[in-house]
Amino acid sequence: MTAPQTTRLLPQAYRPLFAHAGFRRLLPALAASDLGDGMSVVAVAWLAIEIAPPGRSGMLLGAALAAYALPGAAGALLFGRWLRRLPAARLLAADSRIRALLLGCVPLAWALDVLHPVLYVALLAGSSVLHAWGNAGKYSLLAGLLPAEQRLAANALLSSSTSASIVIGPALAGFLAAAVSPAWLIGLDALSFAVLAVQVGRVRGPSGDAGQAGRADGPPDEAAAPVDADRSAAGLHLLRKQPELLGVLALTWFFNFLYGPAEVALPLHVTDDLHAGAGLLGLYWALFGAGAVLGGLAAGALRRFPLWPVTLTIVAGWGLALVPFGLGAPAAVTLACFTLGGLIYGPFTALSYTLFQDRTPAAWLTTVLAARSAALLTAGPVGTALGGPLIALMGPRGVLAASGIATVVLALVAAVLRARTGRRAASRLV
């Protein structure tokens, strides 16, 4: 089937995008890198379990998963002074090259039998240090390539690619890990970023200069840029005057934090409790991703209901979905619970953003969202880093159940505080 015929099969809103040669070059490379990262959800954890010293798999697993995310959060905060005015294409290419090089060293070190746990964590940490800037560069680059009326459709395609990778990547990694080492799957992720770096260099912006699309003549696109420290400080100052927004932020931080230990415990639950392989771990994440995609699509329908009660119900529902893990339920039951958990979890981010949008003056929205991002960047990685020590104390099943119970308690505490705040506000009006 030819390219024009394929384009005609697309919905009308997406067809004009493929008239841009730069977009046609970038989209397959971006989709490949998304798929590589989806595979790494399983591969990074599984390789950590394989190379960990006896009795230390939980510690190394927590460190590896944190290293794959936390340096990106630090890079978003620390490097703004030097990076925020670079061309978008250069940011994306730099992140892609670093990830290709350092992730590519993982299978090389494994093949040479020198992949020490410390080296593994260091390579993962180095590979992620510019990832927030690379992600910002991706969206800014597309904004420079495409006219304004086509950007929403382009962003929707990128979002769909990310969602699909959550479903396909872990399942594919679980299948392949039965035949090859997870180190080679990380190598495939590295290869996808090498291809992306090459394709970014071939993109020509409106000026005709290769690799210069999205050049920042002024400040970078605030919606796509990673956290800027000055804007974050101003946003946090404003948030201190908005108790309701602070409550949303605190709820989201603790929700993400309590999710972190569960992410570490699940692979060890598969190996230690269920005595299964990477295929089952991939199935857990694939079903979670499928549920999250469906839940995210349902977020629009939930807009008709009061947002605070719905948000608190989502938090409690996710926690309840984890409790059966601690009761020794069979894999079939916990797979169903994890799928349901993804379905419940799916709308949370969209609803959280909507609460901020509804309660924030338009002139301050970008500043407040920058503060939100700055605060939340640490939640998941810190929770992940704590997962290892908690597993050593409680075991994988215990950590999964404790994470679920603590999340339910979080929802109940937030509901009580929300009710008290509402009563105080009502009493002031009397």
Side-chain angles (χ1 to χ4, degrees):
M1 187 175 291
T2 64
Q5 290 174 324
T6 302
T7 301
R8 282 198 294 269
L9 296 176
L10 294 170
Q12 181 63 40
Y14 298 104
R15 294 177 192 174
L17 298 174
F18 294 88
H20 299 272
F23 183 82
R24 289 200 307 270
R25 290 193 184 103
L26 273 179
L27 185 61
L30 290 170
S33 66
D34 285 339
L35 180 61
D37 278 344
M39 293 171 61
S40 289
V41 169
V42 170
V44 168
W46 206 256
L47 185 57
I49 293 172
E50 285 192 356
I51 68 171
R56 303 298 298 273
S57 56
M59 299 293 290
L60 180 58
L61 180 53
L65 293 175
Y68 202 54
L70 192 55
L77 293 168
L78 298 177
F79 299 145
R81 180 180 303 176
W82 299 278
L83 298 180
R84 62 187 174 188
R85 295 190 182 276
L86 287 181
R90 193 177 300 175
L91 288 173
L92 180 55
D95 173 54
S96 299
R97 289 168 187 151
I98 289 174
R99 287 178 77 78
L101 176 63
L102 295 182
L103 291 178
C105 288
V106 172
L108 178 62
W110 182 86
L112 296 174
D113 201 24
V114 295
L115 189 61
H116 188 275
V118 174
L119 176 60
Y120 182 49
V121 171
L123 290 173
L124 293 176
S127 74
S128 70
V129 73
L130 290 185
H131 201 41
W133 288 99
N135 190 59
K138 172 174 66 176
Y139 285 95
S140 296
L141 176 57
L142 291 178
L145 281 174
L146 301 169
E149 64 272 14
Q150 295 178 10
R151 292 173 187 168
L152 178 59
N155 289 337
L157 278 180
L158 293 187
S159 177
S160 298
S161 171
T162 302
S163 298
S165 73
I166 297 173
V167 179
I168 300 171
L172 181 59
F175 174 76
L176 293 176
V180 299
S181 167
W184 296 115
L185 304 183
I186 296 174
L188 289 177
D189 194 10
L191 180 61
S192 73
F193 279 100
V195 172
L196 178 57
V198 172
Q199 291 297 82
V200 171
R202 297 176 61 202
V203 170
R204 294 185 177 275
S207 65
D209 297 328
Q212 295 301 311
R215 179 166 42 242
D217 298 321
D221 185 335
E222 290 183 330
V227 176
D228 179 278
D230 293 336
R231 286 193 293 122
S232 299
L236 289 172
H237 178 72
L238 178 66
L239 281 172
R240 284 197 290 269
K241 302 178 182 179
Q242 299 280 348
E244 185 176 27
L245 293 183
L246 273 179
V248 178
L249 182 60
L251 174 69
T252 308
W253 195 95
F254 281 106
F255 190 29
N256 291 350
F257 169 76
L258 292 172
Y259 171 82
E263 188 177 11
V264 179
L266 182 62
L268 292 175
H269 171 66
V270 170
T271 57
D272 296 356
D273 299 331
L274 301 179
H275 307 291
L280 181 58
L281 177 61
L283 183 59
Y284 271 108
W285 284 119
L287 291 175
F288 173 87
V293 170
L294 294 175
L297 293 173
L302 296 175
R303 188 68 175 85
R304 297 175 298 170
F305 301 97
L307 292 181
W308 260 108
V310 171
T311 302
L312 293 175
T313 300
I314 289 172
V315 174
W318 165 251
L320 290 173
L322 292 180
V323 172
F325 284 89
L327 301 177
V333 173
T334 54
L335 281 168
C337 289
F338 217 58
T339 307
L340 179 62
L343 184 68
I344 294 169
Y345 186 90
F348 180 81
T349 300
L351 293 176
S352 174
Y353 270 111
T354 302
L355 281 168
F356 268 80
Q357 290 166 340
D358 287 351
R359 272 56 167 185
T360 306
W364 282 96
L365 183 57
T366 301
T367 302
V368 167
L369 290 180
R372 178 188 184 279
S373 296
L376 295 181
L377 280 171
T378 58
V382 170
T384 300
L386 289 176
L390 289 176
I391 287 171
L393 291 174
M394 306 169 63
R397 276 183 177 148
V399 169
L400 285 164
S403 174
I405 293 169
T407 303
V408 174
V409 171
L410 170 65
L412 294 174
V413 170
V416 171
L417 293 176
R418 171 71 178 162
R420 287 182 179 177
T421 302
R423 285 197 296 269
R424 288 175 185 169
S427 65
R428 293 193 192 103
L429 295 176
V430 175

